[in-house]
Amino acid sequence: AVRAAGVYTLVMASGRGPVSGSFTLTADGRAQRQAHFESRFSPSDQQLIGSFTIDGGTIAFELIPRDLPADFVWPVQGKWLGSGFTITYPDAADGPPIVELYRRR
């Protein structure tokens, strides 16, 4: 986790992913995700906190909403790229999977 510590900015998202966002990763394995979503009906901001691990070429997160009970956990993972990472997750509306790409600031 030490080598990954830093702030990562969203540079690309597919499908219904966020239009902007960032991840802050700390040397002790903590993670914070901020994302902004645009929609015709109601733009929204999401803040998630939790932890991350890197195992070879995989980065995995266990995140919870900052404003909801901690019994909801979002496990999401992707590819660790060294200077950044991707995360991939299903689209809640049955569209193609959402892929987000983050690069270190």
Side-chain angles (χ1 to χ4, degrees), residues 28-100:
D28 62 355
R30 288 181 293 142
Q32 178 175 326
R33 176 183 188 243
Q34 295 186 302
H36 178 74
F37 296 85
E38 284 291 337
S39 97
R40 288 183 309 189
F41 307 110
S42 63
S44 64
D45 290 306
Q46 180 187 66
Q47 285 199 348
L48 301 172
I49 56 174
S51 62
F52 76 98
T53 56
I54 297 173
D55 185 11
T58 300
I59 187 166
F61 295 91
E62 295 279 328
L63 301 170
I64 60 170
R66 180 170 251 164
D67 56 351
L68 292 176
D71 57 349
F72 172 85
V73 176
W74 185 40
V76 64
Q77 66 180 29
K79 293 186 179 86
W80 173 247
L81 307 170
S83 61
F85 57 89
T86 64
I87 59 171
T88 303
Y89 53 94
D91 182 317
D94 294 330
I98 296 168
V99 179
E100 299 175 17

Side-chain angles (χ1 to χ4, degrees), residues 7-8 80-85 102-105:
V7 177
Y8 296 80
W80 173 247
L81 307 170
S83 61
F85 57 89
Y102 291 84
R103 292 254 184 253
R104 189 188 304 256
R105 271 194 202 152

